[in-house]
Amino acid sequence: MTPCANAPEFYSDTVTAIRTPEGFDAGLIPPHAANTYGVAFGGGLGKVQGKVFRIGHLGMLTDVMVLTGL
């Protein structure tokens, strides 16, 4: 899983955008995760729409929560 931010100084404390392989529609991931696993991910916005999906991690987050999302 490759983060969209290409250097640590661009990493966010609240959300991580994950790049998908070229030609794959990342917009398919959030509805699939929600419908199949009950996990909420965000889609890409603007120039990265269809190229990334977003994992929110604002507030309390445990290792189990992270592993559930992954």
Side-chain angles (χ1 to χ4, degrees), residues 20 23-36 41 43-44 50-53:
T20 56
F24 181 85
D25 182 2
L28 299 172
I29 294 175
H32 176 75
N35 296 330
T36 306
F41 292 137
K51 298 177 183 180
V52 305
F53 67 97

Side-chain angles (χ1 to χ4, degrees), residues 8-47:
E9 60 266 23
F10 300 119
Y11 292 173
S12 169
D13 292 333
T14 60
V15 66
T16 297
I18 304 296
R19 292 184 186 273
T20 56
E22 186 73 31
F24 181 85
D25 182 2
L28 299 172
I29 294 175
H32 176 75
N35 296 330
T36 306
Y37 305 108
V39 175
F41 292 137
L45 303 171
K47 293 180 181 180

